[in-house]
Amino acid sequence: KPAASATPIAELRHSKTHTPAMLAVRYDRAQGRCSEGTLQMLAKPDFDALVTAWSTSDPLPKDGTCTAPGVERMPERTDYPRDPQGGLQTGAAQILVLVERDGTPQATHPVCATSEAFGRSAAQTAKQLTYSPVRCGAQPGRAVLMVPLEFDPH
């Protein structure tokens, strides 16, 4: 089992512009599966149940004043999975994050990943991120986000 070590956040990426590694690890909600060649870590029925339960737990007005939730701040350090020889490899994952009204993550679930180690590490890292919740007018609400994360040793 590869060991993990705390590494500077410079090796972790999240941005609105998806890198090739992030694009390769995608969840197709209509099909209920991850990109070919990636590991699916959350089954479609479980994904759908989590999204439905969380999305309907906090009804907000649908008056066009809502702002989208998002990632505000990355942590300074993260656990970076290592290969059996101790080296760092590139990997990516998509994480389902359930965000509270105050922007804290209530739960994180790895959905797709290049490996189980990257999925677990990305889910742990997603718990350390700071989020902006959905807002409708001045009212904050719970949100469901798919957060793509890439680990890159270069």
Side-chain angles (χ1 to χ4, degrees):
K1 185 174 180 179
S5 73
T7 15
I9 199 62
E11 297 174 343
L12 177 71
R13 291 188 189 141
H14 167 76
S15 69
K16 294 188 188 297
T17 305
H18 295 129
T19 66
M22 288 178 191
L23 292 173
V25 180
R26 300 288 291 180
Y27 181 73
D28 181 331
R29 192 161 178 192
Q31 297 292 319
R33 61 179 171 220
C34 297
S35 306
E36 188 173 331
T38 61
L39 177 65
Q40 183 151 347
M41 299 181 73
L42 189 64
K44 181 181 180 359
D46 297 329
F47 179 94
D48 290 342
L50 285 166
V51 170
T52 300
W54 198 252
S55 297
T56 59
S57 68
D58 203 6
L60 292 169
K62 307 278 190 232
D63 60 4
T65 64
C66 296
T67 60
V71 175
E72 284 189 353
R73 187 183 59 79
M74 299 289 284
E76 291 181 23
R77 301 184 88 58
T78 187
D79 286 334
Y80 195 109
R82 294 185 179 269
D83 65 24
Q85 293 75 36
L88 301 173
Q89 296 180 334
T90 299
Q94 270 202 322
I95 307 300
L96 179 67
V97 182
L98 308 176
V99 179
E100 287 285 0
R101 292 174 200 92
D102 65 358
T104 58
Q106 190 273 341
T108 61
H109 301 275
V111 178
C112 303
T114 51
S115 72
E116 189 173 338
F118 280 111
R120 284 192 316 266
S121 186
Q124 281 300 112
T125 298
K127 289 179 184 176
Q128 300 170 34
L129 301 177
T130 302
Y131 300 90
S132 57
V134 64
R135 286 195 180 277
C136 294
Q139 181 181 358
R142 291 176 167 163
V144 177
L145 290 174
M146 283 292 281
V147 177
L149 294 171
E150 177 185 11
F151 296 84
D152 188 352
H154 307 289

